[in-house]
Structure formats: structure tokens, C-alpha cells
Amino acid sequence: MKSGPLYLGVLTASAAVWLALYLELAIPLSPSGQQVVSALPCLALIWFGCWSLGTISLNLIRLRECTDAAVELREQIAAARNDLRARGLGDIFDADAK
Amino acid sequence: MDGVRDAAKNSATPEYSILLPTYNERENLPIITWLIFDELERAKISAFELIIIDDNSPDGTQAIAKRLQQLYGPERIVLAPREGKLGLGTAYVHGLTFARGTFVVIMDADMSHHPKFIPQFIAAQKASGADIVTGTRYLPAGGVYGWDLRRKLMSRVANYLAQVALRPGVSDLTGSFRLYRKEVLAACVNLTRSKGFIFQMEIVVRARQIGFSIAEVPITFVDRVYGCSKLGNMEIVSYLKGLWSLMWR
């Protein structure tokens, strides 16, 4: 399923449920209950923000710096150049080096 | 007898076609070609062909490709030049018309994609039977090199937004080092409308919509072009626009 319509559906459904609670269509709320319900959208937004920041930070820390791969590649490039030189293709690199 | 069998094996249809789009890769092309042959031969994979799709590079990449074809043989290296710089999506379509393999591998020629991962892609495909195997920098065994903190952060935020917006089920959407079943790539490319790195994301999104299976292999990404992170404000805006449009179509 496309994510756009999915999110639109979930958002509409949550908004409807929240509105029903807020307007006390289903159940009457105590004064403290009213406070909680009116703060819910704000709390959800804050939670989403914190979760996003947390996920991004954690993923940033987890992103590995692969120095080993860079060293290996450098050695392999040197080996490739030497072998290609031996096979008569050295002028490709040597012309640029000058 | 062995010689005859070898000749028969060489002329047989390759199983894997590696598509290598190039533009001004005069120095990189011989090295990446050498690495591809070296890694695949070491992994005992011989049924492959390399298709070089050069967009008429002004630096003479095409002439280098011809010399490599002489060196490795016309049955191993296929030249599929184009008249000018026409974009990646059409490069794939163009390369596909030459590809004889059951599977197609797509990679960049600038050596940020190491050919040592191709045998791993092939093994993962065999083990899972997946239609697509995609390289990911973001799984624990993967990684990047040559990125400063800003570049890392940008890639992490971009990836997070893509994960939330598209729920793709794949950890690295903008990478372009992948293996496809040939007909799967053809079907997905035909459905894509975007360009650039949005195009790489759209292929995965389309593949998921059709119901193709995708496996992931961790890859290391060594960026050798230091200091020039090509992510300006224009790219950020076009990235967000691309994400938004992919959510709806």
C-alpha cells in the first residue's frame, strides 16, 4: 500500500477518535480527564519529535567508519595499476601523472 | 579436451550482466574493471559480462573501454556507448538491451562500490531467491569512509525521513549498488518517473508495490572524492519533493 493514503487514513481516524473524546460524545470526562485529552495532540507531537531525534542520533552513532575498507581499496588500486602496467595499459595513469 | 570445454563455457550465455554507466571515468574505469574480474574470478564466478555504458565522455573513457575490451575479450566486455549524457534511468534501459544474463548488477564506476560485494550479492540471491539484492551502508557490517560529520548527519536524517515517509522495508534507499533479476529491473524502470537519487528510491518503492522480494547485503562505501559533498539547498528541496511525491503515486 502507498504510504501517503495509509498515513492519511491513520491520521483521520486518530483525529476522529480524539475529537469524540474532546467533545465528550461517548463518555463524560472529569476535569482532569479533559486536561489530559486536550493535551494529547501536543504530547503525541513531542513524543514523535523525541523519538525522531533519538533514532537519528542512535543511527548516527551506529554508522560505522570503515577505515579498513579504505586501506584495502588503496592497496588494491595500487596492485591493479601495477598489473595493468604490465599488460600495457600503463599510459592511462602515467599520462595523467605528468 | 579442457580447452574445448573452456571455449564452450566462455561462449555460453553469461548468468550475470554487470551494468557500468560511466561519465569521465578515464582513470577509474581500468581499475574498477580489473577489480571486477579479480574479485569474480577469485569467487569462481566466470559466467558474467561487463557492459560499459559510456555517455560520450569528453575525457576519452570510451577509448579506454575499447582497450579493456581487447584485453579481456569481446565476450566478457560489451561496449554500449551513448551519444551524450542522458541520465541514469535511460542508461539502465539502454544497458538492458545488451544484457544477456538472467541477473543484472548495477554499480558506480568511481570505486565507492567495491566489486568484492558482487559474489555476496549472488550468494544472498541464491540463498533467499530474492528478485532484488540491494547493498546497504546502514546495517552493522556496512559503513562509510570519507564522510565528515555533517555529511553523515545529512545522510542519516535523509534516510530517517525516507523510512518514515515510505516504509520501504529496506534500510538503504538511496544506494545504487544492487542486483536485479533482469525482467524485474526492466519492469521497475518502466514505472519510474523521477531522476537522480530519487530514482534509486523509486525503483525500490515500485518493486515493493508490485510485490518483488528484496534482500539486503551490508556494504562499505568508500568515498574517494573528499571534501565535495554535493548536498546543497536545492538538493534538499528536491529530495523532500521527491519523497512527498513517492508517498502518493
Side-chain angles (χ1 to χ4, degrees):
Chain A
M1 164 155 202
K2 289 183 182 113
S3 60
L6 179 76
Y7 280 126
L8 193 65
V10 170
L11 212 65
T12 313
S14 333
V17 169
W18 178 79
L19 208 64
L21 283 172
Y22 185 72
L23 298 175
E24 301 185 44
L25 297 179
I27 38 167
L29 294 169
S30 64
S32 60
Q34 279 173 347
Q35 271 185 332
V36 170
V37 168
S38 55
L40 268 179
C42 204
L43 286 174
L45 216 61
I46 291 170
W47 175 83
F48 179 68
C50 289
W51 185 69
S52 301
L53 279 179
T55 309
I56 291 169
S57 317
L58 204 66
N59 284 337
L60 187 62
I61 295 164
R62 277 190 190 150
L63 185 59
R64 193 169 70 90
E65 179 89 14
C66 51
T67 315
D68 46 342
V71 171
E72 185 198 24
L73 180 63
R74 209 173 302 143
E75 286 165 0
Q76 285 181 317
I77 289 172
R81 281 200 173 136
N82 285 337
D83 192 52
L84 286 165
R85 263 193 201 102
R87 297 191 199 202
L89 287 168
D91 59 296
I92 298 167
F93 323 112
D94 298 336
D96 293 316
K98 270 170 204 164
Chain B
M1 193 60 200
D2 273 0
V4 174
R5 209 188 303 143
D6 282 349
K9 205 163 73 181
N10 281 341
S11 63
T13 319
E15 177 89 3
Y16 302 97
S17 300
I18 301 166
L19 303 191
L20 198 67
T22 57
Y23 189 76
N24 285 348
E25 299 286 2
R26 175 195 165 82
E27 266 196 81
N28 287 335
L29 182 61
I31 295 168
I32 193 76
T33 303
W34 188 92
L35 282 173
I36 289 169
F37 278 82
D38 183 56
E39 294 291 348
L40 292 189
E41 269 158 27
R42 267 198 278 165
K44 306 253 184 309
I45 296 161
S46 57
F48 73 94
E49 62 180 352
L50 178 64
I51 300 174
I52 300 170
I53 306 151
D54 184 60
D55 280 4
N56 200 12
S57 305
D59 75 342
T61 304
Q62 188 58 25
I64 309 287
K66 276 197 188 114
R67 289 173 66 187
L68 289 165
Q69 189 187 39
Q70 282 163 11
L71 187 64
Y72 288 98
E75 72 283 353
R76 306 308 292 280
I77 295 189
V78 178
L79 304 184
R82 300 198 296 171
E83 279 171 18
K85 213 172 178 203
L86 296 165
L88 215 48
T90 53
Y92 295 168
V93 174
H94 181 72
L96 276 173
T97 61
F98 292 82
R100 292 173 293 163
T102 315
F103 296 94
V104 170
V105 175
I106 284 173
M107 62 188 297
D108 292 347
D110 63 0
M111 279 181 278
S112 56
H113 295 159
H114 199 295
K116 70 182 172 188
F117 295 111
I118 297 174
Q120 296 183 26
F121 284 11
I122 290 170
Q125 195 287 321
K126 279 187 176 150
S128 64
D131 299 310
I132 302 172
V133 178
T134 180
T136 174
R137 296 162 286 191
Y138 301 135
L139 286 181
V144 296
Y145 179 82
W147 285 7
D148 57 13
L149 189 62
R150 182 175 169 273
R151 180 88 175 78
K152 283 180 182 169
L153 180 64
M154 301 248 310
S155 99
R156 265 356 216 134
V157 172
N159 184 261
Y160 173 76
L161 290 174
Q163 294 296 332
V164 172
L166 303 173
R167 303 158 37 83
V170 171
S171 61
D172 189 350
L173 270 176
T174 45
S176 53
F177 193 7
R178 295 178 186 149
L179 176 146
Y180 298 85
R181 255 180 234 286
K182 188 164 69 180
E183 67 275 13
V184 167
L185 178 61
C188 293
V189 170
N190 278 337
L191 290 172
T192 57
R193 278 183 263 172
S194 36
K195 292 192 164 73
F197 44 81
I198 299 289
F199 167 77
Q200 305 296 350
M201 299 203 292
E202 187 173 10
I203 288 192
V204 170
V205 171
R206 299 283 168 241
R208 303 292 297 200
Q209 281 171 0
I210 302 171
F212 292 129
S213 55
I214 306 177
E216 292 191 284
V217 167
I219 59 161
T220 52
F221 184 95
V222 177
D223 206 337
R224 294 170 67 246
V225 192
Y226 302 103
C228 85
S229 67
K230 293 163 245 167
L231 289 166
N233 290 333
M234 280 306 289
E235 278 76 13
I236 294 171
V237 171
S238 69
Y239 181 79
L240 294 176
K241 274 187 186 163
L243 270 189
W244 180 256
S245 69
L246 284 183
M247 286 176 72
W248 301 98
R249 48 164 226 246

